[in-house]
Amino acid sequence: MSAPTADLMDYSDVLARFEPVLGLEVHVELSTATKMFCGCPTEFGAEPNTQVCPVCLGLPGSLPVVNKQGVEGAIRIGLALNCAITPWGRFARKNYFYPDQPKNYQISQYDEPIATNGYLDVPLDDGSTFRVEIERAHMEEDTGKSLHVGGATGRIHGASHSLLDYNRAGVPLIEIVTKPITGAGERAPEVARAYVTALREVVKSLGVSDVKMEQGSVRCDANVSLMPVGATEFGTRTETKNVNSLRSVEVAVRYEMRRHAAVLAGGGTIVQETRHFHEADGSTSAGRIKETAEDYRYFPEPDLEPVAPEPEWVEQLRATVPEYPWLRRGRIQADWGISDEVMRDLVNAGALDLIIATADAGAPANEARSWWVAYLTEKAKETEVELADLPITPAQVAEVIALVEAKTVNNKVAKQVVDFVLAGEGEPGAIVEAKGLGMVSDDGALRTEVDKALAANPDIAEKIRSGKVQAAGKIVGDVMKATRGQADAARVRELVLEACVQG
């Protein structure tokens, strides 16, 4: 029997009576240009059924070919998770009927995954770490998407009809499966969220996926079971499918712990099944009875050769695995001397990696930070895009900063240069030259403009001569206007004061 959704045990009572056991299966779509076994593009958001071919549609006579970039991405993920890379492995056919998998089987890996027996030391909110053991990471192809029309929930129940889009079918997918996670106790929901957060960061740092959970690039299936305190045998698990936000992973695990406990305390039994997660209220509901591996009738894929990465290649890829993002953040924070709050804001704004890349391109870190968190953040908000999606690179921002430092342009004109770059008009230096935006640095030309401004404002000139030097601001402003903002304001001020003293 299963409990009604409202029948939940208080969380403190759950922990007093039961020990949670978790298992997390995270699916990562790779950002390859083409699908895993054919040449179809993988662009997100394309018109339905426009990125398909006989291979990914499973038409008779079509033969798959392995995407080398997909294999490379899988190996790099495995190495980043401290896994052993399998020297020889086969693909398998996983047989089941889903309408959004046109072949009625999925090319996956079964008993010979590409990566095995790893771990990830996950940072928790209080600064401690929790080691999550990795069972395997294996390659497979994604399914298509179903759109259920006419119902109130968007699910098949109550829908009048369903539409199928096979564009996603065949996109390279890496499934990362943990070993049973025990010993987390009351922090189990936090550990689940922290693990998916850390895994997502690692994958993003590798550059093999855009990790956009809202687009399905990362999806988590959360397995939960409970066993009485002091017991050693795991309880029956449920699998909450396709949880697509970090917060929801934590909420789903906590909900299932409370639901399981209520069922068990009431004398019921847990059904091994999949569950749907409902974002609106954080609840789950029954899906289908969960199959076992035998139900999928795995057998070796006859149309694909085994994957046997050369050890030298694996070592070359190992050298490309970057420092863990949270370790890198700590090192950079210490180098920059910024507070935890400032660092958190930079991360939340999506600015940190952009700032680092700009500094790596030669800009001072404080200048890079100023541009990305101020003017460029403002531009991102105006155009309603993510900061990283602005059409300007860190190298271009570094070039703008260099132009300011060299006094080729001032800060005001530099913003115009950035605007031109965002409009797709070229590189910063070329824009300055083509549009004549270079700073007016000829003292003779500046003195001419200063004299004009003083002659046009004799009362202001008299105030300056009488010692009220703050009045020079009006003259400086007029000169800056006359030079289209291309003068050095500090130098103009010097020339104004010099002229008044001489006068």
Side-chain angles (χ1 to χ4, degrees):
M1 70 183 270
S2 58
T5 56
D7 191 2
L8 303 174
M9 183 179 287
D10 183 81
Y11 192 65
S12 60
D13 291 338
V14 175
L15 299 171
R17 301 179 61 171
F18 299 99
E19 175 69 27
V21 179
L22 307 181
L24 300 170
E25 303 169 16
V26 177
H27 299 78
V28 176
E29 276 190 356
L30 300 183
S31 298
T32 54
T34 58
K35 294 184 180 181
M36 190 66 196
F37 302 111
C38 68
C40 289
T42 59
E43 179 187 356
F44 179 82
E47 288 295 314
N49 297 310
T50 58
Q51 298 182 164
V52 294
C53 72
V55 174
C56 56
L57 290 177
L59 299 184
S62 61
L63 292 173
V65 177
V66 175
N67 184 330
K68 181 180 179 180
Q69 188 181 0
V71 177
E72 178 179 309
I75 293 174
R76 294 183 71 219
I77 288 174
L79 292 172
L81 297 178
N82 304 291
C83 291
I85 303 303
T86 304
W88 191 95
R90 295 174 296 178
F91 283 101
R93 288 188 181 183
K94 180 181 180 181
N95 295 274
Y96 59 93
F97 174 73
Y98 278 156
D100 49 11
Q101 183 58 277
K103 296 191 295 287
N104 281 341
Y105 64 85
Q106 179 188 40
I107 300 178
S108 182
Q109 290 185 304
Y110 175 44
D111 54 347
E112 296 170 319
I114 188 69
T116 59
N117 294 319
Y119 65 88
L120 185 62
D121 289 327
V122 176
L124 301 181
D125 294 343
D126 62 359
S128 63
T129 60
F130 188 97
R131 175 163 292 191
V132 174
E133 303 281 349
I134 307 296
E135 176 71 33
R136 57 190 280 145
H138 63 261
M139 299 179 286
E140 58 188 23
E141 58 181 339
D142 211 343
T143 61
K145 297 175 68 175
S146 299
L147 176 64
H148 305 298
V149 183
T153 65
R155 302 192 184 279
I156 193 168
H157 300 291
S160 60
H161 61 285
S162 297
L163 303 175
L164 300 175
D165 177 8
Y166 290 130
N167 281 349
R168 195 178 68 182
V171 169
L173 199 66
I174 308 301
E175 181 175 354
I176 303 158
V177 182
T178 69
K179 294 180 180 180
I181 301 171
T182 60
E186 65 177 347
R187 304 186 75 174
E190 178 195 349
V191 167
R193 170 182 51 79
Y195 167 72
V196 179
T197 300
L199 181 58
R200 183 172 174 267
E201 285 195 68
V202 168
V203 171
K204 184 177 182 180
S205 73
L206 293 169
V208 297
S209 172
D210 62 20
V211 299
K212 294 180 178 178
M213 297 188 78
E214 71 277 9
Q215 294 183 2
S217 298
V218 174
R219 309 187 293 273
C220 178
D221 297 341
N223 293 269
V224 176
S225 67
L226 297 180
M227 56 183 180
V229 171
T232 57
E233 184 177 347
F234 295 163
T236 301
R237 65 186 172 89
T238 58
E239 180 181 8
T240 304
K241 300 286 288 185
N242 295 328
V243 186
N244 61 3
S245 80
L246 300 174
R247 175 184 173 276
S248 295
V249 171
E250 181 172 4
V251 172
V253 168
R254 184 182 296 269
Y255 182 92
E256 279 297 280
M257 286 174 61
R258 296 178 64 195
R259 188 185 68 84
H260 280 217
V263 172
L264 296 172
T269 56
I270 301 298
V271 176
Q272 183 168 316
E273 63 186 357
T274 63
R275 306 280 298 182
H276 299 301
F277 180 72
H278 303 285
E279 293 280 354
D281 61 1
S283 67
T284 69
S285 60
R288 55 182 171 82
I289 301 300
K290 178 61 178 174
E291 295 91 344
T292 63
E294 290 74 16
D295 293 323
Y296 291 122
R297 305 184 311 283
Y298 284 98
F299 65 85
E301 168 57 67
D303 294 331
L304 288 171
E305 292 184 354
V307 175
E310 294 289 341
E312 295 79 10
W313 185 39
V314 173
E315 291 310 307
Q316 289 173 5
L317 295 178
R318 191 189 302 277
T320 71
V321 175
E323 183 180 18
Y324 285 141
W326 48 92
L327 299 180
R328 178 176 178 236
R329 284 197 297 271
R331 176 175 53 79
I332 289 170
Q333 183 176 350
D335 290 344
W336 290 358
I338 58 178
S339 67
D340 291 344
E341 183 179 9
V342 170
M343 176 59 78
R344 184 171 60 251
D345 289 344
L346 294 179
V347 172
N348 292 340
L352 181 61
D353 287 342
L354 297 168
I355 295 167
I356 293 171
T358 305
D360 288 344
N366 60 328
E367 289 294 326
R369 187 162 72 247
S370 176
W371 274 96
W372 283 108
V373 302
Y375 192 68
L376 288 166
T377 292
E378 177 185 323
K379 288 297 176 181
K381 290 178 179 177
E382 286 178 7
T383 53
E384 298 182 343
V385 300
E386 295 294 326
L387 195 58
D389 293 333
L390 283 173
I392 188 169
T393 67
Q396 289 171 324
V397 175
E399 185 178 351
V400 171
I401 294 170
L403 290 171
V404 174
E405 289 188 328
K407 296 189 180 299
T408 302
V409 298
N410 58 29
N411 280 311
K412 181 178 180 180
V413 174
K415 292 178 180 178
Q416 297 177 37
V417 174
V418 167
D419 290 344
F420 285 124
V421 174
L422 293 172
E425 297 200 23
E427 296 300 311
I431 288 170
V432 170
E433 184 175 351
K435 297 186 179 295
L437 296 176
M439 189 179 294
V440 178
S441 56
D442 178 10
D443 275 3
L446 291 178
R447 283 193 178 95
T448 298
E449 294 301 333
V450 167
D451 290 343
K452 288 180 182 179
L454 288 171
N457 298 275
D459 54 333
I460 301 295
E462 187 57 38
K463 287 182 180 179
I464 299 172
R465 292 188 185 100
S466 66
K468 296 180 179 179
V469 294
Q470 65 271 22
K474 171 66 168 65
I475 306 301
V476 173
D478 287 352
V479 173
M480 294 301 293
K481 183 176 181 180
T483 59
R484 297 187 302 165
Q486 292 175 235
D488 182 346
R491 180 54 181 159
V492 171
R493 179 180 175 80
E494 290 174 358
L495 293 174
V496 170
L497 298 178
E498 179 184 308
C500 288
V501 169
Q502 292 175 351

